[in-house]
């Protein structure tokens, strides 16, 4: 196991480094020990590499190449001591080792290139790097070749070493999070290149025995050996190592050795001719400064391209590659004519994220991006501000056309992986030319503010539409913003913004006319606006992520009334409380509900929970388990607004539903305006609706579910429901939602057993009798 081997190996590496430091110091102090220390070290190094490879990573073939490289160098050092520094065998061994080192470096470069190819990344100025390397290599090789005293072999060695030096330094500078083994292997490579260059200047492949250069070569051999003993040697040639890259601008520092290379030519030339004042062989004097200027110029071009790429990224959204807010501002600044701005917001995007996860949400945004690009069709600059908000900057004349195309394009389902997701969009339009609300020179912030106000108006009107900004919208938004602040204070129980009231609407037995249960419906008693219906503030509750707090407040208020009626001796009817998707996604829902009931001493049979299929709930979430726990505790679960969404049957499968509440759209028999004008009922519509209700009733009977019809307003609707076999109903025909005191007086029996019925209930009872 990695964890088992890491600590001992780490101690081994530290001990080995300590030994190397002590021996090196001793060899410096006692020159007579340098040669035996070097020979022992160079033959120990490949053995340590093989041991580390066997212990930590047997499948890492590059480490085998490193061991072979060190073995070749050990043979060259030994041959130099036994046969002489200029023996051909020394040349063969040292050249073979260098060739194997080139193989290792080339493999690292291949891994880096392979990663960039998989990621689709491009290295700005990568071709310029190649030009820099070639320019330096040609110049250095040509200069060394003209010196006369260096053989072609050493000219080639020096040129290759300088290029390898640039490659290793660039990798070390541009990579981040490198493991200890990587650092040690890089250190060994740099030390070996320094050794090669210093000996090449002397036209020799080996340093003199016992010299300081010999000690440098020994350290170059021992560094890879120490790297192989550390457990992190597994990661040195792992492709993941090459994913941890610093910024491209930082990587420019890796070219520094090559920038300095032309200047190094003067030093090499001087070293060969003793710095005398005689004629110096080599390239013409102007070659060195020209080459230096060329290399520096290429590096500056490389830096400019990196900076330009960085600026491009700074103005692009990383997910969609559209312009971001900064890029949009630049596009706006470049326009001298009046502009129009379209702000698009995806309706119910948060619900998609909560239900399917953020990965699906990101794919959905990409699908919206594609349709946005198709709809703009060159008529504007598309951008993403963040989240689910997109913007199009265009000419005022194109604004309405782009909005129409977008609304049409996004009505069709979006394909996201294996899912088909329907989303609506709300669009706000603002312009400097047509509304007169802004001058032609208005800045982008003003345009965005106006478009956001218009978009909010479109969303408030039901979504799936576009709205153009008008100055009157400001007052509406200001009032809604103030009410939004009041909502937060309300749920923080601040008395200055009023209080919540629970009203109750009965569910009646169509055969007897008696109230058999009720639904708790929330109202807000506001000190300024009076009694507010749910439509006035529930949207604000959701936009402030306060759904769960409101659900808890309604449940507690309802249970409070149940407890009071219980204390008054009234036979308490079951009351259903609505639960939003946010509450259903809370793993502690069942525990919280049961705790509220237990604290109040109210039986579980007195409370029912209503969920709606319009609040899409994640199938893999905690909702199913919570609802099953509540059902097992005696709390019925009702599915509200049945028949209005796409998930009804799926909800019946996933959740322990016991009662279906038919939406008013399936109950209402309201005639069309033209039919009403001639006194005729739309029989075709009524028959189709009746067939649907009959089918739902039959299905519910087969599944053992009760059915409650919502929104009953006329006696004709009541009679039709009775004929279709529906026994329970709720609606204005029987009663509007009323305060708790009125509900108790009208529908709950007193201690003497008397009860009060609504007129409609009495009529139902008599007609059924």
């Amino acid at each position: 196991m990695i964890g088992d081997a890491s600590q001992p190996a780490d101690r081994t590496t530290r001990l080995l480094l300590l030994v190397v430091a002590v021996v090196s110091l001793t060899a410096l102090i006692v020159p007579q020990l340098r040669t035996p220390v070097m020979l022992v070290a160079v033959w120990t190094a490949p053995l340590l590499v093989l041991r580390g490879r066997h212990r930590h990573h047997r499948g890492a073939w590059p480490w085998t190449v490193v061991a072979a490289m060190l073995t070749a160098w050990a043979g060259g050092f030994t041959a130099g001591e036994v046969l002489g520094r200029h023996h051909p065998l020394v040349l063969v061994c040292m050249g073979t080792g260098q060739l194997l080192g080139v193989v290792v470096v080339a493999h690292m470069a291949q891994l880096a290139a392979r990663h960039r190819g998989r990621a689709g990344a491009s290295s700005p100025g990568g071709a310029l790097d190649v030009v820099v390397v070639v320019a330096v290599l040609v110049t250095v090789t040509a200069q060394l070749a003209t010196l006369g005293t260096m053989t072609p072999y050493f000219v080639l060695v020096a040129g290759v070493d300088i290029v390898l030096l640039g490659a290793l330094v660039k990798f070390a500078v541009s990579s981040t999070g490198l493991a200890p083994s990587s650092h040690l292997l890089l250190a060994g490579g740099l030390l070996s290149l320094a050794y090669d260059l210093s000996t090449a200047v002397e036209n020799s492949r080996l340093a003199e025995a016992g010299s300081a250069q010999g000690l440098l070569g020994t350290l170059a051999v021992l560094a890879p050996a120490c790297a192989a003993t550390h457990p992190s040697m597994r990661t040195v040639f792992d492709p993941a190592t090459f994913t941890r890259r610093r910024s491209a601008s930082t990587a420019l520092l890796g070219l520094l050795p090559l920038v300095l290379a032309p200047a190094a030519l003067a030093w090499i030339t001087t070293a060969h001719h003793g710095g005398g004042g005689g004629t110096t062989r080599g390239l013409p004097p102007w070659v060195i400064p020209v080459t230096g200027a060329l290399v520096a110029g290429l590096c500056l071009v490389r830096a400019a391209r990196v900076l330009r790429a960085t600026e491009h990224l700074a103005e692009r959204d990383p997910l969609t590659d559209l312009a971001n807010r900064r890029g949009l501002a630049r596009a706006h600044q470049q326009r001298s004519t009046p502009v129009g701005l379209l702000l698009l917001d995806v309706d119910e995007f948060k619900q998609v994220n909560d239900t399917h996860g953020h990965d699906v949400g990101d794919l959905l945004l990409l699908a919206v991006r594609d349709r946005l690009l198709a709809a703009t069709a060159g008529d504007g600059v598309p951008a993403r501000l963040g989240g689910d908000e997109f913007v199009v900057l265009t000419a005022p004349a194109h604004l309405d056309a782009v909005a129409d195309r977008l609304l049409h394009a996004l009505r069709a389902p979006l394909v996201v992986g294996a899912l088909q997701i329907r989303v609506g969009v709300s669009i706000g339009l603002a312009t400097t030319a047509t509304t007169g609300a802004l001058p032609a020179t208005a800045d982008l912030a003003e345009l965005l503010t106006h478009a956001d106000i218009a978009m909010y108006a479109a969303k408030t009107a039901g979504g799936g539409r576009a709205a153009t900004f008008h100055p009157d919208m400001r007052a509406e938004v200001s009032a809604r913003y103030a009410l939004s602040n009041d909502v937060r204070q309300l749920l923080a129980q601040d008395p200055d913004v009023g209080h919540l009231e629970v009203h109750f609407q009965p569910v009646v037995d169509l055969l007897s006319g008696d109230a058999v249960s009720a639904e708790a419906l929330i109202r807000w008693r506001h000190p300024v606006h009076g009694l507010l219906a749910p439509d006035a503030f529930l949207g604000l509750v959701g936009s402030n992520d306060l759904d769960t707090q409101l659900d808890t407040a309604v449940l507690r208020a309802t249970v409070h009334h149940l407890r009071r009626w219980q204390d008054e001796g009234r036979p308490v009817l079951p009351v259903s409380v609505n639960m939003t998707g946010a509450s259903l996604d809370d793993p502690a829902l069942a525990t919280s509900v049961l705790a509220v009931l237990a604290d109040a001493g109210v039986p579980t049979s007195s409370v029912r929970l209503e969920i709606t299929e319009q609040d899409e709930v994640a199938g893999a979430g905690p909702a199913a388990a919570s609802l099953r726990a509540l059902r097992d505790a005696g709390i019925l679960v009702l599915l509200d607004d049945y028949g209005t969404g796409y998930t009804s049957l799926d909800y019946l499968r996933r959740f322990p539903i016991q009662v279906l509440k038919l939406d008013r759209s399936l109950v209402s028999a309201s005639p069309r305006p033209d039919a009403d004008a001639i006194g005729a009922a739309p029989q075709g519509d009524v028959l189709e609706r009746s067939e649907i209700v009959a089918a739902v009733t039959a299905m519910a009977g087969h599944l053992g579910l009760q059915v409650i019809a919502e929104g009953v307003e006329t006696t004709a609707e009541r009679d039709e429901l009775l004929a279709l076999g529906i026994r329970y109903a709720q609606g204005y025909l029987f009663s509007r939602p009323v305060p708790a005191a009125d509900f108790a007086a009208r529908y709950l029996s007193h201690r003497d057993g008397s009860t009060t019925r609504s007129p409609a209930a009495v009529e139902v009872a008599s007609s059924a009798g």
Side-chain angles (χ1 to χ4, degrees), residues 412-726:
L414 295 168
V415 179
V416 179
L419 300 172
Q420 282 194 347
I421 300 178
R422 292 180 179 269
V423 296
V425 292
S426 299
I427 300 177
L429 309 178
T431 176
T432 60
T434 57
T435 66
L438 292 173
T441 57
D443 63 22
L444 181 63
E446 290 177 296
L447 272 176
L448 285 171
T449 298
H450 286 189
D452 187 62
I453 291 173
M455 182 272 294
Y456 195 80
K459 190 177 286 289
T460 303
R465 66 195 70 198
T468 302
F469 173 79
H470 189 275
D472 292 343
M473 291 180 177
R474 279 192 178 278
E476 299 175 10
V477 171
S478 297
R480 195 163 181 84
Y481 179 76
L483 196 61
S484 179
N485 288 332
D486 288 352
V487 163
R488 290 190 288 270
Q489 292 178 262
L490 174 72
L491 293 175
Q493 298 182 342
D494 185 344
D496 291 340
V497 295
H499 61 275
L500 293 171
E501 291 184 7
V502 177
H503 288 201
F504 297 85
Q505 186 177 33
V507 175
V508 303
D509 184 338
L510 296 182
L511 293 179
S512 66
D514 293 334
V516 295
S517 64
E519 180 180 1
L521 298 166
I522 194 65
R523 301 289 186 268
W524 180 3
R525 183 71 66 178
H526 194 279
V528 176
H529 304 293
L531 190 66
L532 297 178
D535 290 345
F537 62 91
L538 285 186
L540 299 175
V541 172
S543 63
N544 285 285
D545 293 327
L546 298 172
D547 287 317
T548 302
Q549 293 185 39
L550 180 62
D551 290 346
T552 302
V554 175
L555 176 65
R556 290 185 181 278
T558 301
V559 170
H560 169 75
H561 289 301
L562 290 172
R563 176 64 192 187
R564 189 176 65 184
W565 294 333
Q566 183 176 299
D567 293 341
E568 292 173 354
R570 300 176 185 272
V572 179
L573 296 178
V575 178
S576 59
V577 178
N578 290 278
M579 286 288 153
T580 61
S583 293
L584 293 174
D585 284 333
D586 183 0
L589 173 64
T591 303
S592 301
V593 171
L594 295 176
V596 170
L597 293 174
D599 291 343
V602 172
T604 56
S605 58
S606 297
V607 174
R608 300 175 176 181
L609 296 185
E610 289 193 20
I611 65 174
T612 175
E613 60 176 339
Q614 294 177 355
D615 286 335
E616 190 173 348
V617 181
S626 296
L627 293 177
R628 280 194 294 268
L630 292 170
R631 177 203 58 189
D632 294 342
I635 297 177
L636 268 64
V637 180
L638 291 70
L639 181 57
D640 195 14
D641 297 335
Y642 186 82
T644 59
Y646 301 95
T647 60
S648 302
L649 294 177
D650 187 49
Y651 267 44
L652 295 180
R653 178 182 62 83
R654 285 162 42 196
F655 302 128
I657 307 297
Q658 292 147 301
V659 180
L660 299 181
K661 297 188 72 173
L662 296 182
D663 187 74
R664 171 163 172 74
S665 61
L666 297 178
V667 173
S668 174
S670 300
R672 295 190 303 266
D674 57 339
D676 185 57
I678 60 175
Q683 295 296 327
D685 287 350
V686 172
L687 288 175
E688 180 182 353
R689 177 180 51 79
S690 300
E691 290 172 354
I692 294 174
V693 173
V696 171
T697 303
M699 179 197 70
H702 180 72
L703 297 176
L705 305 176
Q706 292 182 7
V707 177
I708 297 174
E710 292 186 292
V712 179
E713 296 184 356
T714 67
T715 55
E717 293 171 358
R718 176 203 64 194
D719 293 340
E720 185 181 6
L721 291 171
L722 276 170
L724 292 172
I726 300 214

Side-chain angles (χ1 to χ4, degrees), residues 275-327:
T279 302
T280 301
R281 297 185 57 187
L283 295 175
W286 56 266
V287 171
I288 292 177
V290 168
T291 302
L294 173 64
V295 172
L298 289 173
C299 288
L300 287 175
V301 172
R302 168 76 157 85
R305 294 190 61 178
V306 168
L307 290 175
R308 189 178 300 115
T310 303
E311 291 175 352
H312 174 80
L313 293 175
E315 295 183 357
R316 309 300 291 184
D317 173 60
L319 175 63
T320 62
D321 199 39
L322 297 176
N324 58 14
R325 188 180 293 268
R326 181 176 176 180

Side-chain angles (χ1 to χ4, degrees), residues 40-264:
V40 172
V42 296
W43 282 109
T44 303
L47 298 178
L48 289 174
V49 172
L50 292 176
R51 180 180 179 274
R53 177 184 177 277
H54 176 78
R55 184 174 186 182
H56 300 304
H57 200 350
R58 298 184 182 182
W61 67 264
W63 281 107
T64 303
V65 177
V66 171
M69 174 188 72
L70 298 181
T71 301
W73 284 346
F77 284 129
T78 304
E81 293 300 324
V82 176
L83 304 176
R85 289 190 300 146
H86 299 287
H87 194 277
L89 183 59
V90 174
L91 186 66
V92 171
C93 290
M94 302 305 289
T96 301
Q98 187 178 42
L99 180 62
L100 292 174
V102 171
V103 170
V104 174
V105 174
H107 177 63
M108 295 173 69
Q110 180 189 20
L111 288 175
R114 186 184 305 166
H115 165 70
R116 287 195 297 270
R118 281 199 304 268
S122 60
S123 176
L128 289 176
D129 290 349
V130 176
V131 175
V132 171
V133 170
V134 171
V136 172
L137 179 61
V138 170
T139 306
V140 171
T141 303
Q143 176 72 355
L144 294 177
T146 58
L147 294 179
T149 57
M150 293 184 69
T151 64
Y153 171 81
F154 290 111
V155 170
L156 178 63
V157 167
V160 171
D161 279 348
I162 288 178
V163 174
L164 289 179
L165 177 65
L168 289 178
V169 171
K170 185 177 180 183
F171 173 75
V173 170
S174 61
S175 297
T176 183
L178 294 178
S181 289
S182 295
H183 286 297
L184 287 169
L185 193 62
L186 286 171
L190 295 175
L191 289 171
S192 65
L193 291 176
Y195 177 83
D196 277 348
L197 288 172
S198 63
T199 54
V201 169
E202 299 176 356
N203 209 17
S204 173
R205 201 64 191 94
L206 284 179
E208 291 186 8
S211 66
Q213 287 177 316
L215 182 59
L216 181 66
T218 304
L219 294 176
V221 171
L222 287 176
C226 294
T229 62
H230 196 275
S232 63
M233 60 88 71
R234 303 180 184 89
T235 66
V236 172
F237 301 104
D238 189 336
T241 300
F242 300 90
T243 66
R244 299 187 290 270
R245 310 288 291 175
R246 299 187 191 276
S247 63
S249 57
T250 304
L252 282 171
L253 295 175
L255 294 176
L256 183 61
L258 297 181
V259 175
L260 298 177

